[in-house]
Amino acid sequence: QVQLVESGGGLVQPGGSLRLSCLASGFTLASYRVGWFRQVPGKEHEAVSCISDSDSSDGSTYYADAVKGRFTISRDNTKNTVYLQMNSLNPEDTAVYYCAALFGPGDVCWAPMYNYWGQGTQVTVSS
């Protein structure tokens, strides 16, 4: 069964850090582009960061302007996991964060193209 499971969300104070994990089961995540997207009530999924597959590319990454310099996406193919390290968090980062996967090469970071999704993990930044 193909499954993505996010973990690592929670409540953090402004300026704090969290690391989100996206664990895949039922398929080899290295062959997939993986993205982190976030959503707040009433809005569409917003692209946060994406990483290309490991099989055919150099693992290029994309970051939304709002998170550049603060967030880092990475892979550990031995653990079939993609991470999102989030530093210097601010209240505007509060959202449900989803990881998603799409088979094959490329670096598009657009939610409608991704066909495997996790259940989401809540990130709340508040004092």
Side-chain angles (χ1 to χ4, degrees):
Q1 181 182 2
V2 172
Q3 194 173 14
L4 292 171
V5 178
E6 302 98 334
S7 61
L11 173 64
V12 63
Q13 292 187 341
S17 298
L18 286 173
R19 188 177 80 157
L20 305 183
S21 299
C22 174
L23 172 64
S25 60
F27 66 106
T28 302
L29 201 55
S31 301
Y32 289 70
R33 290 175 265 174
V34 178
W36 285 98
F37 302 88
R38 63 189 182 188
Q39 189 176 34
V40 297
K43 293 193 175 182
E44 296 182 349
H45 287 99
E46 174 192 14
V48 175
S49 180
C50 293
I51 188 166
S52 61
D53 70 301
S54 298
D55 290 348
S56 61
S57 73
D58 59 359
S60 61
T61 57
Y62 161 86
Y63 296 95
D65 288 344
V67 307
K68 278 181 183 176
R70 300 189 297 123
F71 290 11
T72 303
I73 192 170
S74 62
R75 289 180 176 272
D76 186 340
N77 291 331
T78 66
K79 297 181 179 179
N80 219 26
T81 299
V82 169
Y83 302 98
L84 185 69
Q85 177 67 44
M86 305 188 297
N87 299 328
S88 302
L89 286 161
N90 58 61
E92 290 70 36
D93 296 316
T94 295
V96 178
Y97 283 71
Y98 298 88
C99 71
L102 175 64
F103 180 75
D107 56 4
V108 173
C109 198
W110 187 48
M113 288 193 67
Y114 284 72
N115 50 4
Y116 296 119
W117 288 80
Q119 83 288 349
T121 185
Q122 176 71 47
V123 171
T124 303
V125 184
S126 175
S127 55

